[in-house]
Amino acid sequence: MSKIKPARRGSRRWLVRYPRAVPLLIFLLTSAVTGVSVYAIERSEAQRERAQLHQTAQGIASALERRADANSAYLRAGAALLASQDTIGAEGFTRFVAELRLDSDYRGADGIGWAPRVSRNRIAAFEQSMAEEIPGGLQVHPALAPGQKYAVPVTFLHPDSVRNRRAIGFDMSSEPVRREAMLEAAKSARPVASGKLVLEQEGQDEEPGFLIYMPVYERGGGTPRLRGYIYSPFNAMNFLGAALRLESPGAFGIRLYDAEKKPGSVLAELPISAPGKMTVEKRLSIANHPWVLEVRASNPDTLSPLSLLTLIFGLLIASLLMVVARLLTQQAVEDQEALAWLEQQNSIRNSLTRELNHRVKNTLANVLSIVALTRRRSKDIDSFAEGLDGRIRALSATHDLLTQSDWGTTPIRLVIEVELAPYAKAGEHQLNLSGPDVELAPNDALSLGLAVHELATNAAKYGALSAPGGKVAVSWYRLSDTLARIEWIEAGGPKVLTGRTRGFGTDLIEKIVAHELGNPVDLRFEEHGVECSLTVPVREPAEFAMRARRKLGD
């Protein structure tokens, strides 16, 4: 237990010292742990998605290459067959294509065709011979450019359709992209795909496509002579769709580029409704020509279900911990405030006990002094009892005032009014009180009350308050920040005898009151009445701040 208590006190001290920061820190730490967990989950999901994307891209690339390899195999077989024939006519080529079963096994291509290499001086004879092979004949177009030695016109293209007939007679060597692919095929003696182009049979459409050429040579000794090209035209989108039948892409976007990824080189594209930022690129070779395959995943910017669930529960737990920590800090603060209040109350109680003891001693000292003076000045027991009773009552009245003010400061006016109240009610005398608001300390209020009582008693017996119409004027004013002067002036009463003896009231005022107030008292017996000047200390309210704090604590 001794090892646990310091830790508990330390944690409680932190809760009290930082009541708002601790719950916020707990919330931030829990949120940070949640964030790290979500990041780890998302990273794992991203790695899994990227691996899946790589696998999908690899599958699509393999399907495209297999489709191109299957086409190349047909062209190789066709080149070997055509090379073995002395002449290549319409009937033989039609029979060859029919055996290939293009509709069932040769998906993705627009067909298979033959384009012989015809020198410039034989073009007219070639067109005349084709008039017998092809219904309606053919015309080589466009016209050969100056310096062009030969043409490679499309002669046969199966299946025989209205669309494919648009390409009959077109000189493929007149177009740079086709010409470059044919020269590369003749040089390497293998199937070669062209770059991006628009097939002649597309007519007004601008859909991208490409061709695969396989050169056909004459058999015989010596240097082989190039007879022409067996080729296949492809619409790029149809080719991609045929390849995807072998590989399901799922929810991915696909884009094919010719040679390299740049604007204007897109061959085919399958877009998705919500493309994301995660992409995978694969470089592949289609009939010895480079392509770039780009596969894009969908919706990568949204959190996965597991991440979303982790985030929600993490924030809920963080909020719950923050609320619990906030409740604990509030409880710790309230406990600390309660302990501080109890300590303050104990301190106030001790101070009040000491102060009460001091007040009681002072009061008893005053009473003893009054008793002693009264005894010496009294002629008999009745006069002693009467004088003692009045003075004790004066002390009691002032004590009541101090009790009402919780032994705080008491106004001068209130002390004087209490002592003169019995004479003001009679209505036979004039009492004039004037002066600013000045507060007195408890001891000074007691001494002033005793002095006013003696002056009022003397005036009631021998002075202005003993005769109808008598006047008593009491005024006060500040001499400085720490002193105030009180003036007592009587008028309208019996004349004061100049040779009168000193009484008890005179001794009490000049000895006890002057001693308690710490300033001399000027008591004068003028002919028109008694005049008295008292100087009382004015203390700062800060000396009684302890009582103010106690009031606020209550």
Side-chain angles (χ1 to χ4, degrees), residues 399-441:
H399 269 271
D400 288 341
L401 287 179
L402 295 177
T403 302
Q404 293 174 9
S405 65
D406 202 12
W407 282 81
T409 56
T410 305
I412 290 178
R413 178 183 292 274
L414 193 57
V415 174
I416 297 173
E417 286 179 348
V418 168
E419 296 299 335
L420 294 180
Y423 311 102
K425 294 178 181 179
E428 298 178 352
H429 313 101
Q430 294 184 18
L431 301 177
N432 296 323
L433 307 181
S434 63
D437 291 334
V438 179
E439 303 280 339
L440 299 179

Side-chain angles (χ1 to χ4, degrees), residues 14-160:
W14 280 97
L15 292 175
V16 173
R17 185 176 298 177
Y18 305 104
R20 295 183 181 274
V22 170
L24 181 60
L25 180 62
I26 292 175
F27 176 81
L28 293 177
L29 289 176
T30 308
S31 299
V33 172
T34 302
V36 171
S37 300
V38 171
Y39 172 76
I41 293 173
E42 285 298 299
R43 185 175 181 181
S44 176
E45 287 291 325
Q47 292 175 348
R48 184 185 62 81
E49 290 181 4
R50 183 168 292 278
Q52 182 180 358
L53 196 62
H54 274 283
Q55 184 178 1
T56 301
Q58 184 61 48
I60 295 174
S62 298
L64 291 171
E65 289 176 341
R66 287 199 303 272
R67 180 57 63 189
D69 290 343
N71 175 267
S72 298
Y74 282 117
L75 295 180
R76 287 178 184 274
L81 177 62
L82 296 180
S84 64
Q85 297 180 3
D86 294 334
T87 59
I88 301 175
E91 183 179 352
F93 190 79
T94 301
R95 185 170 56 254
F96 161 68
V97 173
E99 293 177 355
L100 293 178
R101 298 179 181 177
L102 294 181
D103 292 339
S104 60
D105 298 328
Y106 202 39
R107 299 183 182 93
D110 281 2
I112 188 168
W114 164 249
R117 186 169 185 257
V118 183
S119 60
R120 174 186 283 271
N121 57 5
R122 294 190 64 253
I123 289 180
F126 173 74
E127 292 177 344
Q128 184 177 0
S129 65
M130 287 298 103
E132 300 176 359
E133 295 282 346
I134 303 174
L138 66 79
Q139 183 177 1
V140 178
H141 62 280
L144 271 65
Q148 184 177 349
K149 297 180 180 180
Y150 60 89
V152 184
V154 177
T155 303
F156 306 126
L157 183 57
H158 288 275
D160 185 15

Side-chain angles (χ1 to χ4, degrees), residues 353-369 399 407 443 446 516:
T353 301
R354 290 192 298 269
E355 185 176 354
L356 179 60
N357 185 48
H358 176 69
R359 300 297 180 199
V360 169
K361 287 182 178 180
N362 286 343
T363 302
L364 291 176
N366 289 335
V367 171
L368 290 174
S369 298
H399 269 271
W407 282 81
N443 281 346
L446 284 172
E516 290 295 324

